[in-house]
Structures are given as structure tokens and as C-alpha cells.
Amino acid sequence: MVDEFAGGSDEALSGWQPPAFKLPRPAAVDNLATALAARGLSEATAWTLARSAVRPDDMRRKLAEATELRVQGGTLSIVETRLWSAAVIPHPANPREYGHRRYPLGGSGGAVTTSPEPGSSAGLTAELELRCPTADLLAQRLEETKDRLLRENPLAYDIAAEGVLQPLTVVALTVVHADRHPSASLLVAADGSSRVCAVHSILDYSPCRVAYEWGRDDRKYRKEINRWIRHAQRQGWDGLREDERQRLRALTVPARVVVGFDPHPHTGQRFHTAVRNFIGLTHIRPPRPYGPAVENEAKADAVLDSLAEPTRTGAVHLTDAEKAWFAATVTTEEARARGLSPHADVRTENIVRSLLGGGVSTSRRVNEGIRSLTAKMRPKREERVDIAVELILRPLRAAEEGDPGVVRSRRAALQRAYRLPEIERLPAGRPIESDGGEGPGLRRLRDQALEEVERGSGNDGRLGTAQTELAVKAVYYMVAAEPMALQREVFGGSGGEDDRSPASVLRAMLSCRRGVLQAYEIVRSGRRGDRLYEVTESGHRAVAATGGHRELTDGLVRHIYTGEPLAVAAVGYSAAAHCWATVRNSVDSLQKNVKAMAAVPQQVGGRSQVEEEGWEPAEVTALRGDLDLIDRRIARWSDRHRELQSLREAEQDPAGAIE
């Protein structure tokens, strides 16, 4: 693997940079409105659609060859284009809310949270009409819709990074108010209300403002759009804050705009029914999902593509040969010919290090690959683990000829084992064992792991680098073996059953000398294709009462490596090292807690509470004082260590000291 630049933040070096937008000329808007009216749309709808287009001239050209989209009962004519987000609102009668609506017939006497369903406009084939008692009622419904969708289907975080990727299906809606309030011509997302609400959240738009203020006042509407266009022109992309970049990504949305409807003659179906049928096919009866395993396979290939591409700040993370090795698209002989190890555990360790370890730069590259398929701004670590495991399983699936039971149990165990937190701290670059054979590399890895055991690593709650690398290699053979020497934890069992996760069992095993020797023997046996056997404290195979060797099983591993802490020394280096590990863990915990506090938004999908509002100065000052005392105290320890080290070096080399 190729080392790459490890600096920078995930947000600063990733995310979509939209093109430089321009506010359309009024003449272009008028020309598009005329063309839309010629297709049979009302003048109000034609003007609303025309002013919403980012490029009216381009949309007008596409009208001549509108795409036909067949739905049950007819055919929709659509034009794909980009719309200003300030012109689109969520569907006021969003079907996603059906399960939460309260209906008048219930007789509760409380506020009714339903609104009438839109119907088809009389005499107009591709427009909806909604009759509403008052404008206030619709404004309330739009706000309730936004709040519920942001809560139940939060997409703002992901859209902030990549914008809206899949087009919304946008239809025209005329709202007629019973209280003689002027009618409103609106554009609603028949499919995509959650995305619209997320965009409005990023831009801090109110849907009722979009509908009733900007919808009627073209000057205010254009002023709102133009202020962001001008700001981007003044600052340049590199000069914008990240929250400003997020707003520019959300300033426009891709859309399939419905500009016509041709009902089938034998059905006579109306437009609003065709729109409802389209929504039903999309959400109520969508295509059958691929399933997690298939989805993770697809994400894995996307991640490998990301790792094999150079970035602005560094070279590729994987060579073409390594990419094919990770993807399991080469034979063992071909891998060996390319200088790659034929051993499954070495490939596994490289995959795990590349997708789960290596620090910020690696996780950013992996997340970019996942984002290319899912648009998630910050995929969770568990998702990266599942993708890594799916790559690891590819050769095993072929060997087992797709036996679903075997593959399923191995997948579950590997996913839980590789959630070991220490894996994240594996450094980028070459592993400790770099030769991938049974020679000095593996022995060096074993010896360094034993040294870490002597220093108390593992018993203090964290494995060392060598212990972690050896665990990653050994766990592959422990899970792939038959019988499995490491399985998933037991849920809901009796009180006497060991319910520790595989990651916890691994830590307990690699925290003692015998466990390190056991892991070393597992790797050696696995590479030879031998069965796995228990070893003694000396590292030799244990002999059972029957005279034979005892085969390693999950139950035996859990019985030997209970995870009970060893007696902790009260004085000397060992005792101090144990305390230092606790201090280090406390600092890690503090960093995570500070990061978690900074991530608390002011509202769903909003900006950071503390970054925007700050925190009580007296509390911050007191905390900084405590941290300063700790900093100065441990700095003295470092100075003392350097002083003693210099004295020792001078004693060993008096001549050098005189010079």
C-alpha cells in the first residue's frame, strides 16, 4: 500500500463543488413561460415553472423532446433540469405521514392534522389543484410536514456534502383558498419531499415563506437567490466557510418536471390519480431491496475505486495490483507473481488496515467511495467494517460454493471481531510483518506482541500495535476454521453462558503471553492449511487426556481467556504503566466527548450549538485551568526522562559528552 497525506479534515477535502450559478435573465424566463403555456399549462403555472429553472433556455430546448414516462393509467411528459430550491416545497399531503394523521371522524375534538388531498385541475391535464380553507392552515401543514420529515427521514447531513443526487419529481399545484385569499401557484415534490425539507433546513428556508412570500414577490425571490450567487463570486470556492459551501450545494436541486399528461383512452384516468400511482410504485411497492450483503459488495467496489485514484493531496492508496488482490479478481498464482502474499490472513490484514485503520486520510478516502453510492456525508465505522468483511469473504464464499449457512455465520463473527476499536489506531503504511511468510517477519510480530504484553498492553483496556496486527491475522483463521474457534456472542442465554463479543474475547486472548503464542500458532497453522490446536504457556501444542492434541473451539478459547484482569503491581514501572494507560484512555475519552459536544446541532440538520452560541466563559476558564495544570505536570515528566536519557548516553560515551 502507498502512504498518503494524513492531514486535513474530512469536510475540507471532500464534498461536491457545484458549478458557478448565474441568475437567469428576465427575457429567458419570459420565453420559457411562453413555451410552457403553449403546451397547455395555465399562465400562472407556466410563469412559476419558468422562474424556477436555473437555466430557462436549456429547459425550453428540452421541451421540444420531452421524455415520456409511462405510469399506470397514462403517460407523463417530463423534462429533466435543475430548479432553484427557493421555488419548490414538499407535498402538503405527503403519504409518508399517513400513519400519523388524525382524522375528523375519530371525534377526538382536538386539532385535526389532515389536509385535503389534491385533485386534478379542471381542463388542465398536468396540474394539481388543492382546495384549502385558509392560507394559514396550509402554512401550518407545510411547517408540520417539514418538521416531521426532518425528524423521521433526516437527510440534511448527507445532502450538505453532495447536494441532492437523484432528481425530484416536481408537479405544479394551484392552491385555492376558501377564505378568498388569492390563489397560489406552487411547485411540489410529488416524490422527494424529504429531500426538499433537508435542502430547506440547510438553507434555513421556511416552506410557507417559499409558498406565500417568494411565490408572489419575484423581486424578493431573485434577491434571495442572488445573494448567495454574489457571495460565491466574491469569495471564491476556497474562500467559503464549510457551512456556506453546504448552502451553495443545496441552492439548486435536480428535477424531473412534469409538463404534460396523456391518459390512456380506455381508462380516462385523471392526473392526480396518475401522480398518486407513481408515488405508490416508488415508495409503497418499490423494487425488492438487494439485501445488506449485495449492498456491501457494491460499496466495496466503489471504495476500491476511491482508494485506487490519486487525490489533490497525495498519490493512490492502492496500486492496480493491490486493488485486484483486494477485489479477489486474481488467482493465488497471479497474486504471487505480482509480489503479493498468497496467504488469506495477509490479504485480510491489508484490507482491514486500508479500510479501517490508517487515520483520517484513509477513512476519508473510504467514505468518499461509500458516498458515491449512498450520498452519506459521514458513513459510520460499522458500515466500513461490513464492507471490509464482504471483501474478505469473497474467496471464502467461492471455496464454500455459496453455502449460505457457512457464509452467514462467518460474516457475523468477522463483523463483530473487526469492530475491535484498536484497529482504528493501526498506522498507515507497511505492517510489522511485511514478508507474509513463516520467516522472520511473523516471528518479529510475535516477539513485539510479547513485549507489549510485558508492558501491560491489553490489560489496561487497549492492545498495542503488534498485538492488534496479530489479532487481525489470527481471527481470520479462527473464524474460517471448522469448527469455528471464534463465534458471535450469545444473546438471551442462561446466566452461565459467555456473552462477550468476539472483539472482547480477542482482547482478552492477546493480553497474555499464552494468547499471543496461541495467535502465532493459529496463523502458522492456517497458512499451512492445518487444523487449529490449543497451545500451552510455552507455545507447544497441549496434549489431551486421550494422548492427542486438543482442537481449538470457540468454547475452549472462551474458557481459557476469560478476560479476568491480572494482578496489578503496586509499585515500579508496571504499576505506573498501568496508570499511564488509564490516563491515555481518559484523554481519548475527553477528545471524543468534546467532539460529540461540538456536533450537537441547534436544530435537526442545523449548525453546531456551541460553534454558533459559544459556552459559559467561567466554566471554560475553569476547565482550561485544570487542563493546564495537567499539561505542565506531565511535561515535567517528559523533561525528566530526557534529562536522564542524556545522562545515560553521556556515561556510555564520555568522549562525545566532552565534545
Side-chain angles (χ1 to χ4, degrees):
M1 293 178 293
V2 181
D3 292 342
E4 63 175 8
F5 175 72
S9 67
D10 191 21
E11 293 88 346
L13 295 176
S14 62
W16 174 53
Q17 180 178 342
F21 299 120
K22 295 181 179 179
L23 195 65
R25 293 180 295 105
V29 174
D30 291 340
N31 290 338
L32 176 57
T34 301
L36 288 167
R39 291 189 63 93
L41 297 175
S42 66
E43 289 187 9
T45 293
W47 182 76
T48 299
L49 268 175
R51 70 197 285 265
S52 73
V54 175
R55 294 187 57 193
D57 52 344
D58 180 65
M59 185 176 177
R60 183 162 59 89
R61 284 192 294 269
K62 290 179 178 178
L63 276 176
E65 298 180 357
T67 303
E68 292 187 350
L69 179 64
R70 183 176 172 273
V71 296
Q72 186 177 0
T75 302
L76 300 174
S77 296
I78 63 171
V79 172
E80 293 207 7
T81 189
R82 293 197 77 86
L83 304 180
W84 300 110
S85 300
V88 186
I89 63 171
H91 199 304
N94 192 331
R96 191 180 289 275
E97 298 184 293
Y98 277 149
H100 303 281
R101 293 182 182 178
R102 289 182 291 160
Y103 294 89
L105 194 59
S108 63
V112 177
T113 60
T114 59
S115 63
E117 291 287 329
S120 301
S121 292
L124 298 169
T125 58
E127 296 183 35
L128 298 176
E129 183 179 281
L130 178 66
R131 295 191 171 272
C132 186
T134 66
D136 289 342
L137 178 61
L138 180 60
Q140 178 186 349
R141 285 292 300 121
L142 289 173
E143 293 299 329
E144 290 175 353
T145 295
K146 178 183 176 183
D147 291 343
R148 183 177 294 279
L149 290 177
L150 287 175
R151 190 168 58 250
E152 296 189 356
N153 194 25
L155 299 174
Y157 201 65
D158 300 329
I159 289 175
E162 295 293 336
V164 175
L165 295 178
Q166 294 300 315
L168 316 173
T169 302
V170 173
V171 297
L173 172 71
T174 300
V175 181
V176 180
H177 307 96
D179 62 354
R180 298 177 182 261
H181 192 281
S183 298
S185 181
L186 310 174
L187 298 181
V188 301
D191 170 41
S193 290
S194 296
R195 283 169 280 169
V196 171
C197 291
V199 163
H200 285 180
S201 174
I202 295 168
L203 293 164
D204 201 21
Y205 287 174
S206 165
C208 62
R209 189 178 189 188
V210 172
Y212 286 113
E213 183 177 343
W214 296 337
R216 288 200 172 90
D217 193 326
D218 195 51
R219 184 185 63 83
K220 289 184 178 179
Y221 167 76
R222 291 174 66 88
K223 182 179 179 181
E224 168 60 27
I225 297 171
N226 204 34
R227 73 185 182 101
W228 287 110
I229 295 175
R230 287 181 176 275
H231 184 66
Q233 290 172 342
R234 286 194 302 268
Q235 299 296 118
W237 184 257
D238 293 336
L240 296 171
R241 301 194 311 268
E242 179 57 27
D243 63 310
E244 294 171 335
R245 294 180 181 182
Q246 292 173 4
R247 287 183 173 88
L248 284 171
R249 292 175 187 132
L251 193 62
T252 68
V253 291
R256 296 184 298 186
V257 182
V258 179
V259 295
F261 174 61
D262 183 18
H264 292 167
H266 63 279
T267 63
Q269 186 164 277
R270 303 185 69 190
F271 179 59
H272 73 277
T273 305
V275 171
R276 187 173 60 206
N277 292 345
F278 173 77
I279 296 173
L281 287 173
T282 305
H283 294 288
I284 299 173
R285 200 174 177 186
R288 183 179 177 181
Y290 288 137
V294 177
E295 292 172 6
N296 287 330
E297 280 257 60
K299 294 174 191 174
D301 284 331
V303 166
L304 294 183
D305 287 341
S306 177
L307 293 175
E309 290 292 330
T311 67
R312 291 179 297 172
T313 55
V316 298
H317 185 81
L318 292 180
T319 65
D320 289 340
E322 288 168 335
K323 177 184 175 183
W325 186 42
F326 281 21
T329 56
V330 293
T331 65
T332 301
E333 291 72 21
E334 289 171 338
R336 185 184 284 110
R338 298 180 186 186
L340 301 168
S341 174
H343 299 305
D345 69 285
V346 177
R347 173 179 174 271
T348 294
E349 194 273 339
N350 277 269
I351 290 173
V352 168
R353 186 183 292 266
S354 295
L355 272 66
L356 308 179
V360 174
S361 62
T362 300
S363 62
R364 173 173 54 81
R365 295 286 294 274
V366 174
N367 286 348
E368 285 175 357
I370 299 173
R371 204 160 39 234
S372 68
L373 290 183
T374 66
K376 289 184 179 179
M377 186 174 184
R378 284 185 179 173
K380 295 182 178 179
R381 182 174 183 272
E382 289 76 11
E383 189 168 1
R384 296 200 296 272
V385 171
D386 293 348
I387 291 169
V389 167
E390 219 55 50
L391 285 173
I392 293 165
L393 283 173
R394 285 183 177 183
L396 187 62
R397 287 208 313 266
E400 296 295 336
E401 297 182 351
D403 186 326
V406 170
V407 174
R408 187 164 48 247
S409 60
R410 268 68 182 174
R411 177 183 291 117
L414 287 173
Q415 287 174 343
R416 284 159 177 79
Y418 290 141
R419 280 173 171 75
L420 185 72
E422 288 89 329
I423 289 174
E424 287 185 289
R425 303 184 185 96
L426 285 174
R430 298 179 70 83
I432 296 171
E433 186 207 6
S434 57
D435 53 13
E438 291 191 31
L442 185 58
R443 291 194 295 272
R444 181 171 60 251
L445 177 61
R446 175 200 62 190
D447 293 342
Q448 289 190 27
L450 289 173
E451 291 174 4
E452 290 172 345
V453 168
E454 292 299 319
R455 293 198 297 266
S457 298
N459 287 317
D460 57 22
R462 178 191 295 179
L463 296 174
T465 301
Q467 290 168 302
T468 304
E469 182 179 323
L470 186 56
V472 169
K473 294 174 183 290
V475 75
Y476 174 82
Y477 294 118
M478 295 174 76
V479 170
E482 186 59 53
M484 293 173 67
L486 189 66
Q487 292 175 279
R488 58 179 296 175
E489 60 270 36
V490 178
F491 296 104
S494 64
E497 289 184 295
D498 185 349
D499 61 355
R500 289 177 297 159
S501 69
S504 297
V505 175
L506 272 179
R507 183 180 292 111
M509 178 177 164
L510 272 295
S511 296
C512 64
R513 176 181 175 82
R514 182 179 180 182
V516 169
L517 296 176
Q518 179 70 79
Y520 170 72
E521 181 60 27
I522 287 170
V523 174
R524 292 181 65 218
S525 298
R527 291 179 181 179
R528 293 194 300 263
D530 296 343
R531 301 186 74 82
L532 308 183
Y533 295 99
E534 176 194 357
V535 301
T536 63
E537 291 286 349
S538 64
H540 297 98
R541 288 184 179 179
V543 179
T546 58
H549 297 300
R550 187 149 49 197
E551 197 161 2
L552 207 60
T553 64
D554 180 71
L556 183 59
V557 169
R558 289 175 180 272
H559 173 73
I560 297 171
Y561 307 104
T562 61
E564 296 177 358
L566 300 177
V568 179
V571 297
Y573 178 82
S574 296
H578 182 83
C579 292
W580 176 258
T582 304
V583 170
R584 179 70 256 186
N585 288 337
S586 298
V587 173
D588 288 347
S589 178
L590 175 62
Q591 289 177 327
K592 289 180 181 178
N593 290 335
V594 170
K595 187 175 181 180
M597 185 172 178
V600 174
Q602 292 177 302
Q603 58 188 2
V604 176
R607 295 181 289 276
S608 166
Q609 172 68 32
V610 292
E611 295 294 342
E612 293 296 319
E613 302 293 337
W615 201 251
E616 178 61 42
E619 295 185 16
V620 172
T621 300
L623 177 58
R624 291 184 66 189
D626 292 339
L627 294 174
D628 184 55
L629 288 173
I630 295 171
D631 178 58
R632 282 183 282 162
R633 188 172 188 180
I634 62 177
R636 289 199 303 271
W637 300 347
S638 177
D639 293 341
R640 179 57 177 163
H641 187 277
R642 285 199 196 93
E643 180 184 341
L644 293 176
Q645 187 67 24
S646 297
L647 290 173
R648 293 190 188 101
E649 291 174 356
E651 290 174 357
Q652 294 173 1
D653 186 10
I658 292 172
E659 293 176 359

